[in-house]
CSV table of all heavy atoms in Angstrom, one decimal:
chain,number,residue,atom,x,y,z
A,629,THR,N,2.0,17.9,-12.1
A,629,THR,CA,1.7,19.2,-11.5
A,629,THR,C,2.9,20.1,-11.3
A,629,THR,O,2.8,21.4,-11.3
A,629,THR,CB,0.9,19.1,-10.2
A,629,THR,OG1,1.8,18.4,-9.2
A,629,THR,CG2,-0.4,18.4,-10.3
A,630,ALA,N,4.1,19.5,-11.3
A,630,ALA,CA,5.3,20.4,-11.0
A,630,ALA,C,5.7,21.2,-12.2
A,630,ALA,O,6.3,22.2,-12.0
A,630,ALA,CB,6.4,19.4,-10.5
A,631,SER,N,5.4,20.8,-13.4
A,631,SER,CA,5.9,21.4,-14.5
A,631,SER,C,5.0,21.3,-15.8
A,631,SER,O,4.2,20.3,-15.8
A,631,SER,CB,7.3,21.1,-14.9
A,631,SER,OG,7.4,19.8,-15.3
A,632,ALA,N,5.1,22.1,-16.7
A,632,ALA,CA,4.4,21.9,-18.0
A,632,ALA,C,5.2,21.0,-18.8
A,632,ALA,O,6.3,21.5,-19.3
A,632,ALA,CB,4.1,23.2,-18.7
A,633,LEU,N,4.8,19.9,-19.1
A,633,LEU,CA,5.6,18.8,-19.8
A,633,LEU,C,5.8,19.1,-21.3
A,633,LEU,O,5.0,19.9,-21.9
A,633,LEU,CB,5.1,17.4,-19.5
A,633,LEU,CG,4.9,17.1,-18.0
A,633,LEU,CD1,4.2,15.7,-18.1
A,633,LEU,CD2,6.2,16.9,-17.4
A,634,ALA,N,6.7,18.5,-21.9
A,634,ALA,CA,7.0,18.5,-23.3
A,634,ALA,C,7.0,20.0,-23.9
A,634,ALA,O,6.2,20.3,-24.7
A,634,ALA,CB,5.9,17.8,-24.0
A,635,PRO,N,7.9,20.9,-23.3
A,635,PRO,CA,7.8,22.3,-23.9
A,635,PRO,C,8.2,22.4,-25.4
A,635,PRO,O,7.6,23.2,-26.1
A,635,PRO,CB,8.9,22.9,-23.0
A,635,PRO,CG,9.8,21.9,-22.4
A,635,PRO,CD,8.9,20.7,-22.3
A,636,TYR,N,9.1,21.5,-25.8
A,636,TYR,CA,9.6,21.6,-27.2
A,636,TYR,C,8.5,21.0,-28.1
A,636,TYR,O,8.2,21.6,-29.2
A,636,TYR,CB,10.8,20.8,-27.4
A,636,TYR,CG,12.0,21.4,-26.6
A,636,TYR,CD1,12.4,20.9,-25.4
A,636,TYR,CD2,12.6,22.5,-27.2
A,636,TYR,CE1,13.5,21.5,-24.7
A,636,TYR,CE2,13.8,23.1,-26.5
A,636,TYR,CZ,14.1,22.6,-25.3
A,636,TYR,OH,15.1,23.2,-24.5
A,637,GLN,N,7.8,19.9,-27.7
A,637,GLN,CA,6.7,19.3,-28.6
A,637,GLN,C,5.6,20.4,-28.7
A,637,GLN,O,5.0,20.5,-29.8
A,637,GLN,CB,6.3,18.1,-28.0
A,637,GLN,CG,7.2,16.8,-28.2
A,637,GLN,CD,8.3,16.8,-27.1
A,637,GLN,OE1,8.5,17.7,-26.3
A,637,GLN,NE2,9.1,15.8,-27.2
A,638,SER,N,5.2,21.0,-27.6
A,638,SER,CA,4.1,22.0,-27.6
A,638,SER,C,4.5,23.2,-28.5
A,638,SER,O,3.6,23.7,-29.2
A,638,SER,CB,3.7,22.5,-26.2
A,638,SER,OG,4.8,23.0,-25.5
A,639,ALA,N,5.7,23.6,-28.4
A,639,ALA,CA,6.2,24.7,-29.3
A,639,ALA,C,6.1,24.3,-30.7
A,639,ALA,O,5.7,25.1,-31.6
A,639,ALA,CB,7.6,25.1,-28.9
A,640,VAL,N,6.5,23.1,-31.1
A,640,VAL,CA,6.5,22.6,-32.5
A,640,VAL,C,5.0,22.6,-33.0
A,640,VAL,O,4.7,23.0,-34.1
A,640,VAL,CB,7.1,21.2,-32.6
A,640,VAL,CG1,6.8,20.6,-33.9
A,640,VAL,CG2,8.6,21.4,-32.4
A,641,ILE,N,4.1,22.1,-32.2
A,641,ILE,CA,2.7,22.0,-32.7
A,641,ILE,C,2.1,23.4,-32.7
A,641,ILE,O,1.3,23.7,-33.7
A,641,ILE,CB,1.8,21.1,-31.9
A,641,ILE,CG1,1.8,21.6,-30.4
A,641,ILE,CG2,2.3,19.6,-31.9
A,641,ILE,CD1,0.7,20.8,-29.5
A,642,ARG,N,2.5,24.3,-31.9
A,642,ARG,CA,2.1,25.7,-32.0
A,642,ARG,C,2.6,26.4,-33.4
A,642,ARG,O,1.8,26.9,-34.0
A,642,ARG,CB,2.7,26.5,-30.8
A,642,ARG,CG,2.3,28.0,-30.9
A,642,ARG,CD,3.1,28.9,-30.0
A,642,ARG,NE,4.4,29.3,-30.8
A,642,ARG,CZ,5.7,29.2,-30.3
A,642,ARG,NH1,5.9,28.7,-29.2
A,642,ARG,NH2,6.7,29.7,-31.1
A,643,ILE,N,3.9,26.1,-33.6
A,643,ILE,CA,4.5,26.7,-34.8
A,643,ILE,C,3.8,26.0,-36.1
A,643,ILE,O,3.5,26.6,-37.1
A,643,ILE,CB,6.0,26.5,-34.8
A,643,ILE,CG1,6.5,27.4,-33.7
A,643,ILE,CG2,6.5,26.9,-36.1
A,643,ILE,CD1,8.1,27.1,-33.5
A,644,GLY,N,3.6,24.7,-36.0
A,644,GLY,CA,3.2,24.0,-37.0
A,644,GLY,C,1.8,24.3,-37.5
A,644,GLY,O,1.5,24.5,-38.7
A,645,PHE,N,0.9,24.3,-36.6
A,645,PHE,CA,-0.5,24.6,-36.9
A,645,PHE,C,-0.7,26.0,-37.2
A,645,PHE,O,-1.5,26.3,-38.2
A,645,PHE,CB,-1.4,24.2,-35.7
A,645,PHE,CG,-1.6,22.7,-35.6
A,645,PHE,CD1,-1.1,22.1,-34.4
A,645,PHE,CD2,-2.2,21.9,-36.6
A,645,PHE,CE1,-1.3,20.7,-34.3
A,645,PHE,CE2,-2.3,20.6,-36.4
A,645,PHE,CZ,-1.8,19.9,-35.3
A,646,SER,N,-0.1,27.0,-36.6
A,646,SER,CA,-0.3,28.4,-36.9
A,646,SER,C,0.4,28.6,-38.3
A,646,SER,O,-0.2,29.5,-39.1
A,646,SER,CB,0.3,29.3,-35.9
A,646,SER,OG,1.7,29.0,-35.7
A,647,ALA,N,1.5,28.1,-38.6
A,647,ALA,CA,2.1,28.3,-39.9
A,647,ALA,C,1.2,27.7,-41.1
A,647,ALA,O,1.1,28.3,-42.1
A,647,ALA,CB,3.5,27.8,-40.0
A,648,THR,N,0.7,26.5,-40.8
A,648,THR,CA,-0.2,25.9,-41.8
A,648,THR,C,-1.4,26.7,-42.1
A,648,THR,O,-1.8,27.0,-43.2
A,648,THR,CB,-0.7,24.5,-41.4
A,648,THR,OG1,0.5,23.7,-41.1
A,648,THR,CG2,-1.5,23.8,-42.4
A,649,TRP,N,-2.1,27.2,-41.1
A,649,TRP,CA,-3.2,28.1,-41.3
A,649,TRP,C,-2.8,29.4,-41.9
A,649,TRP,O,-3.6,29.9,-42.8
A,649,TRP,CB,-3.9,28.3,-40.0
A,649,TRP,CG,-5.2,29.1,-40.0
A,649,TRP,CD1,-5.5,30.2,-39.3
A,649,TRP,CD2,-6.4,28.6,-40.6
A,649,TRP,NE1,-6.8,30.6,-39.6
A,649,TRP,CE2,-7.4,29.7,-40.4
A,649,TRP,CE3,-6.7,27.6,-41.4
A,649,TRP,CZ2,-8.6,29.6,-41.0
A,649,TRP,CZ3,-8.1,27.6,-42.0
A,649,TRP,CH2,-9.0,28.6,-41.7
A,650,LEU,N,-1.7,29.9,-41.5
A,650,LEU,CA,-1.3,31.2,-42.2
A,650,LEU,C,-1.0,31.0,-43.6
A,650,LEU,O,-1.4,31.8,-44.5
A,650,LEU,CB,0.0,31.7,-41.4
A,650,LEU,CG,0.7,32.9,-42.0
A,650,LEU,CD1,-0.3,34.1,-42.0
A,650,LEU,CD2,2.0,33.2,-41.3
A,651,LEU,N,-0.3,30.0,-44.0
A,651,LEU,CA,0.0,29.7,-45.4
A,651,LEU,C,-1.3,29.5,-46.2
A,651,LEU,O,-1.4,30.0,-47.4
A,651,LEU,CB,0.9,28.5,-45.6
A,651,LEU,CG,2.3,28.7,-45.0
A,651,LEU,CD1,3.1,27.4,-45.1
A,651,LEU,CD2,3.1,29.9,-45.8
A,652,PHE,N,-2.2,28.8,-45.6
A,652,PHE,CA,-3.5,28.6,-46.3
A,652,PHE,C,-4.3,29.9,-46.5
A,652,PHE,O,-4.8,30.2,-47.7
A,652,PHE,CB,-4.4,27.6,-45.4
A,652,PHE,CG,-5.8,27.5,-46.0
A,652,PHE,CD1,-6.0,26.6,-47.0
A,652,PHE,CD2,-6.8,28.1,-45.4
A,652,PHE,CE1,-7.3,26.4,-47.6
A,652,PHE,CE2,-8.1,28.0,-46.0
A,652,PHE,CZ,-8.3,27.2,-46.9
A,653,LEU,N,-4.3,30.7,-45.5
A,653,LEU,CA,-5.0,32.0,-45.7
A,653,LEU,C,-4.3,32.9,-46.7
A,653,LEU,O,-5.0,33.6,-47.4
A,653,LEU,CB,-5.1,32.8,-44.3
A,653,LEU,CG,-5.9,32.1,-43.2
A,653,LEU,CD1,-5.9,32.9,-42.0
A,653,LEU,CD2,-7.3,31.9,-43.7
A,654,LEU,N,-3.0,32.9,-46.7
A,654,LEU,CA,-2.3,33.7,-47.7
A,654,LEU,C,-2.5,33.2,-49.1
A,654,LEU,O,-2.7,34.0,-50.0
A,654,LEU,CB,-0.8,33.8,-47.3
A,654,LEU,CG,-0.5,34.6,-46.0
A,654,LEU,CD1,1.0,34.5,-45.8
A,654,LEU,CD2,-0.9,36.0,-46.1
A,655,ARG,N,-2.4,31.9,-49.3
A,655,ARG,CA,-2.6,31.3,-50.6
A,655,ARG,C,-4.0,31.6,-51.1
A,655,ARG,O,-4.2,31.8,-52.3
A,655,ARG,CB,-2.3,29.8,-50.6
A,655,ARG,CG,-2.3,29.2,-52.0
A,655,ARG,CD,-2.4,27.8,-52.0
A,655,ARG,NE,-3.7,27.3,-51.7
A,655,ARG,CZ,-4.1,26.0,-51.9
A,655,ARG,NH1,-3.2,25.1,-52.4
A,655,ARG,NH2,-5.3,25.7,-51.7
A,656,GLU,N,-5.0,31.5,-50.2
A,656,GLU,CA,-6.4,31.8,-50.6
A,656,GLU,C,-6.8,33.2,-50.6
A,656,GLU,O,-8.0,33.5,-50.8
A,656,GLU,CB,-7.4,30.8,-49.8
A,656,GLU,CG,-7.1,29.4,-49.9
A,656,GLU,CD,-7.2,28.9,-51.3
A,656,GLU,OE1,-7.9,29.4,-52.2
A,656,GLU,OE2,-6.6,27.7,-51.5
A,657,PHE,N,-5.9,34.1,-50.3
A,657,PHE,CA,-6.3,35.5,-50.1
A,657,PHE,C,-7.0,36.0,-51.4
A,657,PHE,O,-8.0,36.8,-51.2
A,657,PHE,CB,-5.0,36.4,-49.8
A,657,PHE,CG,-5.4,37.8,-49.5
A,657,PHE,CD1,-5.8,38.0,-48.1
A,657,PHE,CD2,-5.4,38.9,-50.3
A,657,PHE,CE1,-6.1,39.3,-47.8
A,657,PHE,CE2,-5.7,40.1,-50.0
A,657,PHE,CZ,-6.1,40.3,-48.7
A,658,PRO,N,-6.6,35.8,-52.6
A,658,PRO,CA,-7.3,36.2,-53.8
A,658,PRO,C,-8.7,35.6,-53.9
A,658,PRO,O,-9.5,36.2,-54.6
A,658,PRO,CB,-6.4,35.9,-54.9
A,658,PRO,CG,-5.1,35.6,-54.3
A,658,PRO,CD,-5.3,35.1,-53.0
A,659,HIS,N,-8.8,34.5,-53.3
A,659,HIS,CA,-10.1,33.8,-53.5
A,659,HIS,C,-11.0,33.8,-52.2
A,659,HIS,O,-12.0,33.1,-52.1
A,659,HIS,CB,-10.0,32.3,-53.9
A,659,HIS,CG,-8.9,32.1,-54.9
A,659,HIS,ND1,-9.1,32.5,-56.2
A,659,HIS,CD2,-7.6,31.6,-54.8
A,659,HIS,CE1,-8.0,32.1,-56.9
A,659,HIS,NE2,-7.1,31.7,-56.1
A,660,ARG,N,-10.6,34.6,-51.2
A,660,ARG,CA,-11.3,34.7,-49.9
A,660,ARG,C,-12.8,35.0,-50.1
A,660,ARG,O,-13.6,34.5,-49.3
A,660,ARG,CB,-10.6,35.6,-49.0
A,660,ARG,CG,-10.7,37.1,-49.4
A,660,ARG,CD,-9.8,38.0,-48.6
A,660,ARG,NE,-9.9,39.4,-49.0
A,660,ARG,CZ,-9.4,40.0,-50.1
A,660,ARG,NH1,-8.7,39.3,-50.9
A,660,ARG,NH2,-9.6,41.3,-50.3
A,661,GLN,N,-13.1,35.8,-51.1
A,661,GLN,CA,-14.5,36.2,-51.3
A,661,GLN,C,-15.4,34.9,-51.6
A,661,GLN,O,-16.5,34.8,-51.1
A,661,GLN,CB,-14.7,37.3,-52.3
A,661,GLN,CG,-14.0,38.6,-52.0
A,661,GLN,CD,-14.6,39.3,-50.9
A,661,GLN,OE1,-15.8,39.1,-50.4
A,661,GLN,NE2,-13.9,40.3,-50.3
A,662,GLU,N,-14.9,34.2,-52.5
A,662,GLU,CA,-15.7,33.0,-52.9
A,662,GLU,C,-15.7,32.0,-51.8
A,662,GLU,O,-16.7,31.2,-51.7
A,662,GLU,CB,-15.1,32.4,-54.2
A,662,GLU,CG,-15.2,33.2,-55.4
A,662,GLU,CD,-14.1,34.3,-55.4
A,662,GLU,OE1,-13.2,34.4,-54.6
A,662,GLU,OE2,-14.2,35.2,-56.4
A,663,MET,N,-14.8,31.9,-51.0
A,663,MET,CA,-14.7,30.9,-49.9
A,663,MET,C,-15.5,31.2,-48.7
A,663,MET,O,-16.2,30.4,-48.2
A,663,MET,CB,-13.3,30.5,-49.6
A,663,MET,CG,-12.5,30.0,-50.7
A,663,MET,SD,-10.7,29.6,-50.3
A,663,MET,CE,-10.9,28.3,-49.1
A,664,TYR,N,-15.2,32.3,-48.2
A,664,TYR,CA,-15.7,32.8,-46.9
A,664,TYR,C,-16.5,34.1,-46.9
A,664,TYR,O,-17.1,34.5,-45.8
A,664,TYR,CB,-14.7,32.9,-45.9
A,664,TYR,CG,-13.8,31.6,-45.7
A,664,TYR,CD1,-12.5,31.6,-46.0
A,664,TYR,CD2,-14.4,30.5,-45.1
A,664,TYR,CE1,-11.8,30.5,-46.0
A,664,TYR,CE2,-13.6,29.4,-45.0
A,664,TYR,CZ,-12.3,29.3,-45.5
A,664,TYR,OH,-11.6,28.2,-45.3
A,665,GLY,N,-16.5,34.8,-48.1
A,665,GLY,CA,-17.1,36.2,-48.1
A,665,GLY,C,-18.6,36.2,-48.1
A,665,GLY,O,-19.2,35.1,-48.3
A,666,PRO,N,-19.2,37.3,-48.0
A,666,PRO,CA,-20.7,37.4,-48.0
A,666,PRO,C,-21.4,36.9,-49.2
A,666,PRO,O,-22.6,36.5,-49.3
A,666,PRO,CB,-21.0,38.9,-47.7
A,666,PRO,CG,-19.7,39.4,-47.2
A,666,PRO,CD,-18.6,38.6,-47.7
A,667,ASP,N,-20.7,37.0,-50.3
A,667,ASP,CA,-21.3,36.6,-51.6
A,667,ASP,C,-20.8,35.1,-52.1
A,667,ASP,O,-20.9,34.9,-53.3
A,667,ASP,CB,-20.8,37.6,-52.7
A,667,ASP,CG,-21.4,39.0,-52.4
A,667,ASP,OD1,-22.4,39.1,-51.8
A,667,ASP,OD2,-20.6,40.0,-52.7
A,668,GLY,N,-20.3,34.4,-51.1
A,668,GLY,CA,-19.9,33.1,-51.5
A,668,GLY,C,-21.0,32.1,-51.9
A,668,GLY,O,-22.2,32.4,-51.6
A,669,PRO,N,-20.7,30.9,-52.5
A,669,PRO,CA,-21.8,29.9,-52.8
A,669,PRO,C,-22.6,29.5,-51.6
A,669,PRO,O,-23.8,29.4,-51.6
A,669,PRO,CB,-21.0,28.8,-53.4
A,669,PRO,CG,-19.7,29.3,-53.8
A,669,PRO,CD,-19.4,30.5,-52.8
A,670,TRP,N,-21.9,29.3,-50.4
A,670,TRP,CA,-22.6,29.1,-49.2
A,670,TRP,C,-22.9,30.4,-48.5
A,670,TRP,O,-22.2,31.0,-47.9
A,670,TRP,CB,-21.7,28.3,-48.2
A,670,TRP,CG,-22.4,27.8,-47.0
A,670,TRP,CD1,-22.1,28.2,-45.7
A,670,TRP,CD2,-23.3,26.7,-46.9
A,670,TRP,NE1,-22.9,27.5,-44.8
A,670,TRP,CE2,-23.6,26.5,-45.5
A,670,TRP,CE3,-23.9,25.9,-47.8
A,670,TRP,CZ2,-24.6,25.7,-45.0
A,670,TRP,CZ3,-24.8,24.9,-47.3
A,670,TRP,CH2,-25.1,24.8,-46.0
A,671,SER,N,-24.1,30.9,-48.7
A,671,SER,CA,-24.6,32.2,-48.4
A,671,SER,C,-24.5,32.5,-47.0
A,671,SER,O,-24.5,31.6,-46.1
A,671,SER,CB,-26.0,32.5,-49.0
A,671,SER,OG,-27.0,31.8,-48.3
A,672,TRP,N,-24.5,33.8,-46.6
A,672,TRP,CA,-24.4,34.2,-45.2
A,672,TRP,C,-25.7,33.7,-44.5
A,672,TRP,O,-25.7,33.3,-43.3
A,672,TRP,CB,-24.3,35.7,-45.1
A,672,TRP,CG,-24.1,36.3,-43.7
A,672,TRP,CD1,-22.9,36.4,-43.0
A,672,TRP,CD2,-25.1,36.6,-42.8
A,672,TRP,NE1,-23.1,36.9,-41.9
A,672,TRP,CE2,-24.4,37.0,-41.5
A,672,TRP,CE3,-26.5,36.8,-42.8
A,672,TRP,CZ2,-25.1,37.6,-40.5
A,672,TRP,CZ3,-27.2,37.3,-41.7
A,672,TRP,CH2,-26.5,37.6,-40.6
A,673,GLY,N,-26.8,33.7,-45.1
A,673,GLY,CA,-28.1,33.3,-44.6
A,673,GLY,C,-28.1,31.8,-44.2
A,673,GLY,O,-28.5,31.3,-43.2
A,674,MET,N,-27.6,31.0,-45.1
A,674,MET,CA,-27.4,29.6,-44.9
A,674,MET,C,-26.5,29.3,-43.8
A,674,MET,O,-26.8,28.4,-43.0
A,674,MET,CB,-26.9,28.9,-46.3
A,674,MET,CG,-28.0,29.0,-47.3
A,674,MET,SD,-27.2,28.5,-49.0
A,674,MET,CE,-27.1,26.8,-48.7
A,675,ALA,N,-25.4,30.0,-43.7
A,675,ALA,CA,-24.4,29.8,-42.6
A,675,ALA,C,-25.0,30.2,-41.3
A,675,ALA,O,-24.8,29.5,-40.4
A,675,ALA,CB,-23.2,30.6,-42.9
A,676,GLN,N,-25.8,31.3,-41.3
A,676,GLN,CA,-26.5,31.6,-40.1
A,676,GLN,C,-27.5,30.6,-39.6
A,676,GLN,O,-27.5,30.3,-38.4
A,676,GLN,CB,-27.1,33.0,-40.3
A,676,GLN,CG,-27.8,33.7,-39.0
A,676,GLN,CD,-28.5,34.9,-39.2
A,676,GLN,OE1,-29.1,35.1,-40.2
A,676,GLN,NE2,-28.3,35.9,-38.3
A,677,GLN,N,-28.3,30.1,-40.5
A,677,GLN,CA,-29.1,29.1,-40.1
A,677,GLN,C,-28.6,27.8,-39.5
A,677,GLN,O,-28.9,27.2,-38.5
A,677,GLN,CB,-30.0,28.6,-41.4
A,677,GLN,CG,-31.1,27.6,-41.0
A,677,GLN,CD,-31.9,27.3,-42.2
A,677,GLN,OE1,-31.8,27.9,-43.3
A,677,GLN,NE2,-32.8,26.4,-42.1
A,678,LEU,N,-27.4,27.4,-40.1
A,678,LEU,CA,-26.6,26.2,-39.7
A,678,LEU,C,-26.1,26.5,-38.3
A,678,LEU,O,-26.1,25.6,-37.3
A,678,LEU,CB,-25.5,25.9,-40.7
A,678,LEU,CG,-24.7,24.6,-40.3
A,678,LEU,CD1,-25.5,23.4,-40.2
A,678,LEU,CD2,-23.6,24.4,-41.3
A,679,THR,N,-25.4,27.6,-38.0
A,679,THR,CA,-24.8,27.9,-36.8
A,679,THR,C,-25.8,28.1,-35.7
A,679,THR,O,-25.6,27.7,-34.5
A,679,THR,CB,-24.0,29.2,-36.8
A,679,THR,OG1,-24.7,30.3,-37.3
A,679,THR,CG2,-22.8,29.0,-37.8
A,680,GLU,N,-27.0,28.5,-36.0
A,680,GLU,CA,-28.1,28.6,-35.0
A,680,GLU,C,-28.6,27.2,-34.6
A,680,GLU,O,-28.9,27.0,-33.5
A,680,GLU,CB,-29.3,29.4,-35.6
A,680,GLU,CG,-29.0,30.9,-35.6
A,680,GLU,CD,-30.2,31.6,-36.3
A,680,GLU,OE1,-31.2,30.9,-36.7
A,680,GLU,OE2,-30.1,32.8,-36.3
A,681,ASP,N,-28.4,26.2,-35.6
A,681,ASP,CA,-28.9,24.9,-35.3
A,681,ASP,C,-27.8,24.1,-34.5
A,681,ASP,O,-28.2,23.4,-33.5
A,681,ASP,CB,-29.2,24.1,-36.6
A,681,ASP,CG,-30.5,24.6,-37.2
A,681,ASP,OD1,-31.2,25.3,-36.6
A,681,ASP,OD2,-30.6,24.4,-38.5
A,682,ASN,N,-26.6,24.2,-34.9
A,682,ASN,CA,-25.5,23.5,-34.2
A,682,ASN,C,-24.8,24.3,-33.1
A,682,ASN,O,-23.8,23.7,-32.5
A,682,ASN,CB,-24.6,22.9,-35.2
A,682,ASN,CG,-23.8,23.9,-36.0
A,682,ASN,OD1,-23.8,25.1,-35.7
A,682,ASN,ND2,-23.2,23.5,-37.2
A,683,HIS,N,-25.1,25.6,-33.0
A,683,HIS,CA,-24.5,26.4,-31.9
A,683,HIS,C,-23.0,26.6,-32.1
A,683,HIS,O,-22.2,26.7,-31.1
A,683,HIS,CB,-24.8,25.9,-30.5
A,683,HIS,CG,-26.2,25.7,-30.2
A,683,HIS,ND1,-27.0,26.7,-30.0
A,683,HIS,CD2,-27.0,24.5,-30.1
A,683,HIS,CE1,-28.3,26.3,-29.8
A,683,HIS,NE2,-28.2,24.9,-29.9
Side-chain angles (χ1 to χ4, degrees):
T629 59
S631 64
L633 302 174
Y636 295 97
Q637 286 83 354
S638 57
V640 167
I641 62 175
R642 182 200 84 229
I643 296 170
F645 287 116
S646 58
T648 301
W649 184 241
L650 174 63
L651 292 173
F652 173 78
L653 294 179
L654 292 177
R655 191 195 72 168
E656 301 299 340
F657 190 82
H659 314 291
R660 65 191 184 283
Q661 298 293 342
E662 293 79 8
M663 297 181 65
Y664 304 111
D667 300 325
W670 187 253
S671 68
W672 187 85
M674 296 170 67
Q676 185 180 40
Q677 182 178 354
L678 180 61
T679 54
E680 288 177 353
D681 291 340
N682 61 16
H683 304 289

